[in-house]
Amino acid sequence: MCGIIGCIGHDDETVDVLLNGLSNLEYRGYDSAGIALKQDGIDIRKREGELDELRRSVRRDSDSLAGSFGIGHTRWSTHGPPSDENSHPHSDSLGRVAVVHNGIIENYQAIRDELRSEGIPFTSDTDSEVVPHLIARNLEQGADAEEAVRAAVDRLEGSYALAVIVQGTDKIFATRSDSPLVLGIGDGACYLASDVPAFLDYTRDVVYLDDDEFVTLTEDDWSITDLNGDPVRKTVQTVDWTAEETGKSGYDHFMLKEIFEQPTSLRQCLSGRVDELDRRITVEELDDLGEPDVVQFVACGTSYHAALYGAELLRDAGINARAYLASEYATSPAPVSPETLVVGVTQSGETADTLSALREARNRGADTLALTNVVGSTAARECKHVLYIRAGPEIGVAATKTFSSQLVSLNLLVEHITGRAQVDQSREFLSALRDLPNDLQHVLDESNAREIVDEYADKDAYFFIGRGLNYPVALEGALKFKEITYEHAEGFAAGELKHGPLALVTENTPVFAVVTGDGEQARKTLGNIKEVEARGAPVIVVTDGESEAERYADHVLEIPSVHERTAPMLANVQLQLVSYYMAEQLSRAIDKPRNLAKSVTVE
């Protein structure tokens, strides 16, 4: 989780660059924040709480706080609660070394016990604090700064992205293993960060670092080597995001902005990939993808709900497909063969559980594909194939536009795998894809979600139900609701209510039912609606009107009547708006929900 920033080459502006970078990384963690600046020695400022607490501390010391380079950190707690002591950067006892860390050091306790036996004191509960103490001990034993850092890293087991400054050395050292780290190349300055938005105000030229690569930054140069010190050749890439795209653009929250960006993000996803006249879907990235006998999806959270949708589409097309929670798959993988395709669905491309599952699948001989939003991410680099969802930057912790872009991208993948795009794909479906951005815009313009939430605040719990392709949308609706409202919400396959959850249904448990089309699934869902109505529960239906579900509802969230495969995407937008407006009414921290972070880089 956590966010790392480092910069060198800004002289008097270093503090502002670090704080600005941390502000752009708060979606990765906001339990505490801190910076370390290289002056004659190393000056550290860190505070529990959100970044404003650190800003106030820095403002009080603005006359004395300066440095030609530095590092910073915004924390998502793993070891030890949020506190000033547990905040990063961490230092050795004499203040000669400062370190920021993202990840989990699995052997930290053994190292901590070893160092304590030598009389070295610890001031925090974190796993990260062992790193500066290891480096300091190596310095005392005669190593120079770079040797001391390398030797310390060699002792670590687990996941880490590290940035280090050492007294007496005008360099920043950094390395990574299973945690993201990217280098920014500016005009007379260089940057390090967990994610590109940290330095987009200064440069769009980046180098994506791979595991076990070691970076050295000076005021006028940068170099990358492997852990043995041998040079590594890297390509400088230019990202297509701008600093403006990662701002709020006048919206109260990133989440609302990103909900309303969905028509644009879907157009980006579809651009150049759908030709309605030729009845063809063309995804050039997948030209070398074979025809798998079995498809396994691995994903977490929102991406897992997208994976469920993709697996359902493939099964409907006659392909053996299943979605797995990545955290379960990594430790208990399903059988694979060379004809198995394992698809990692991950917005960031850095989700630790999903990366572990993909690596396990690859080691067992399966073909792998990353369906991700981030060019140059670890998943994109490690998988044999990659399909980008092209959603653009998403800053809000609760995923919105990336989910809808994942669903569209999965439709493209399904068409490619089944071959229908080149043979007998109906003009109706291609037309539906073409019209989807406009249909989604219509939902955004006409939604009455804001008015509905007034009646349903402060209830005991909230249930979301759906069948078929609407089942993943029900799960996602419940997840969004609980993430940002902090209210209890659960999603169910509609038919499962009567197998236990119905015991919880009362007049204080509103039920959101997703009902689209007029087929058997819609008719059976109407039966489930009547079951909860009989127990006094209020019902809110999200519907296209095809099944007359509105006759049985207390409130209706309307969507246009569209293709059965695109209807769930429109229903999802209505549920996103319900969650947002309910959280707004309850005065929740919508962009920074408690205990959560955007990119989950720990297992």
Side-chain angles (χ1 to χ4, degrees), residues 15-171:
V15 172
D16 292 336
V17 174
L18 293 175
L19 291 176
N20 184 56
L22 292 179
S23 178
N24 292 334
L25 289 174
E26 271 200 293
Y27 61 89
R28 299 183 67 90
Y30 30 87
D31 293 337
S32 59
I35 59 175
L37 293 162
K38 175 64 170 59
Q39 304 184 86
D40 294 334
I42 297 175
D43 198 346
I44 294 177
R45 296 287 189 278
K46 54 185 184 177
R47 288 291 182 273
E48 176 189 352
E50 295 189 5
L51 185 59
D52 284 346
E53 296 297 323
L54 177 63
R55 288 187 189 278
R56 282 190 279 271
S57 173
V58 168
R59 197 177 299 124
R60 288 193 295 269
D61 299 332
S62 58
D63 292 340
S64 61
L65 192 61
S68 58
F69 60 91
I71 54 178
H73 187 272
T74 180
R75 183 172 185 246
W76 185 84
S77 302
T78 56
H79 294 67
S83 68
D84 288 354
E85 293 77 16
N86 290 334
S87 305
H88 295 221
H90 288 294
S91 180
D92 67 299
S93 305
L94 300 179
R96 297 162 295 178
V97 178
V99 174
V100 291
H101 167 229
N102 174 24
I104 292 179
I105 298 170
E106 294 175 356
N107 62 334
Y108 86 97
Q109 191 62 59
I111 297 174
R112 190 182 180 105
D113 292 344
E114 173 189 323
L115 293 172
R116 273 183 163 168
S117 71
E118 298 174 9
I120 296 174
F122 282 76
T123 60
S124 79
D125 303 314
T126 70
D127 55 333
S128 310
E129 194 185 352
V130 301
V131 182
H133 289 303
L134 280 175
I135 295 170
R137 187 177 68 174
N138 294 337
L139 291 170
E140 291 174 356
Q141 294 174 350
D144 65 26
E146 183 172 334
E147 291 170 343
V149 176
R150 287 182 181 273
V153 171
D154 193 53
R155 291 287 311 276
L156 306 180
E157 298 173 7
S159 64
Y160 51 82
L162 295 167
V164 182
I165 56 177
V166 179
Q167 184 176 329
T169 304
D170 293 335
K171 298 176 180 178

Side-chain angles (χ1 to χ4, degrees), residues 283-500:
V283 186
E284 293 182 357
E285 302 101 300
L286 303 181
D287 283 348
D288 61 345
L289 180 67
E291 298 180 5
D293 293 336
V294 175
V295 179
Q296 298 172 354
F297 293 93
V298 292
C300 307
T302 289
S303 294
Y304 174 68
H305 301 154
L308 288 170
Y309 173 91
E312 177 84 3
L313 288 179
L314 281 172
R315 287 195 297 271
D316 288 347
I319 301 292
N320 183 350
R322 181 179 171 186
Y324 296 85
L325 290 164
S327 55
E328 294 295 315
Y329 188 98
T331 55
S332 183
V336 299
S337 71
E339 287 71 42
T340 302
L341 175 66
V342 178
V343 181
V345 185
T346 162
Q347 181 276 136
S348 67
E350 304 292 350
T351 308
D353 290 320
T354 306
L355 290 173
S356 293
L358 287 167
R359 289 164 183 161
E360 180 64 29
R362 185 182 62 215
N363 291 339
R364 294 163 65 89
D367 201 6
T368 56
L369 183 149
L371 193 142
T372 184
N373 193 37
V374 182
V375 177
S377 60
T378 301
R381 296 197 306 274
E382 291 190 2
C383 287
K384 183 177 179 181
H385 315 279
V386 60
L387 176 57
Y388 291 111
I389 69 173
R390 300 178 181 173
E394 185 178 69
I395 305 301
V397 168
T400 52
K401 67 177 183 178
T402 53
F403 180 64
S404 60
S405 292
Q406 285 173 339
L407 298 188
V408 170
S409 299
L410 285 164
N411 272 282
L412 301 181
L413 176 63
V414 167
E415 296 310 308
H416 184 90
I417 288 175
T418 61
R420 293 184 305 192
Q422 286 74 35
V423 182
D424 61 354
Q425 178 54 258
S426 71
R427 191 180 298 275
E428 179 186 1
F429 176 59
L430 293 177
S431 178
L433 284 180
R434 180 203 63 191
D435 293 341
L436 179 59
N438 291 334
D439 292 333
L440 198 150
Q441 185 66 59
H442 175 79
V443 173
L444 291 169
D445 292 341
E446 301 298 326
S447 176
N448 57 326
R450 184 193 289 270
E451 291 74 31
I452 284 178
V453 302
D454 291 339
E455 187 163 337
Y456 296 109
D458 301 320
K459 298 298 183 181
D460 293 341
Y462 302 81
F463 292 165
F464 295 73
I465 62 173
R467 286 178 181 263
L469 293 175
N470 291 328
Y471 168 50
V473 171
L475 294 178
E476 177 61 14
L479 178 61
K480 281 293 148 295
F481 199 91
K482 70 180 72 174
E483 279 180 324
I484 64 168
T485 70
Y486 310 158
E487 299 295 312
H488 180 70
E490 295 296 336
F492 302 99
E496 286 300 298
L497 276 179
K498 59 185 177 290
H499 295 291

Side-chain angles (χ1 to χ4, degrees), residues 173-191:
F173 304 105
T175 188
R176 62 157 282 178
S177 178
D178 291 339
S179 283
L181 200 60
V182 59
L183 173 64
I185 311 300
D187 184 11
C190 289
Y191 312 86

Side-chain angles (χ1 to χ4, degrees), residues 246-301:
T246 58
K248 291 183 183 176
S249 302
Y251 287 90
D252 290 338
H253 298 94
F254 283 111
M255 182 179 179
L256 187 62
K257 170 179 178 273
E258 288 155 3
I259 289 172
F260 275 85
E261 285 178 339
Q262 288 177 107
T264 298
S265 63
L266 294 187
R267 289 187 183 96
Q268 292 171 176
C269 180
L270 292 167
S271 179
R273 291 170 165 174
V274 176
D275 188 333
E276 190 179 353
L277 290 177
D278 290 341
R279 300 188 185 185
R280 182 178 297 274
I281 290 175
T282 303
V283 186
E284 293 182 357
E285 302 101 300
L286 303 181
D287 283 348
D288 61 345
L289 180 67
E291 298 180 5
D293 293 336
V294 175
V295 179
Q296 298 172 354
F297 293 93
V298 292
C300 307

Side-chain angles (χ1 to χ4, degrees), residues 232-249:
V232 176
R233 295 179 62 87
K234 303 289 288 189
T235 301
V236 178
Q237 304 179 46
T238 301
V239 299
D240 57 4
W241 300 351
T242 65
E244 289 74 19
E245 287 181 275
T246 58
K248 291 183 183 176
S249 302

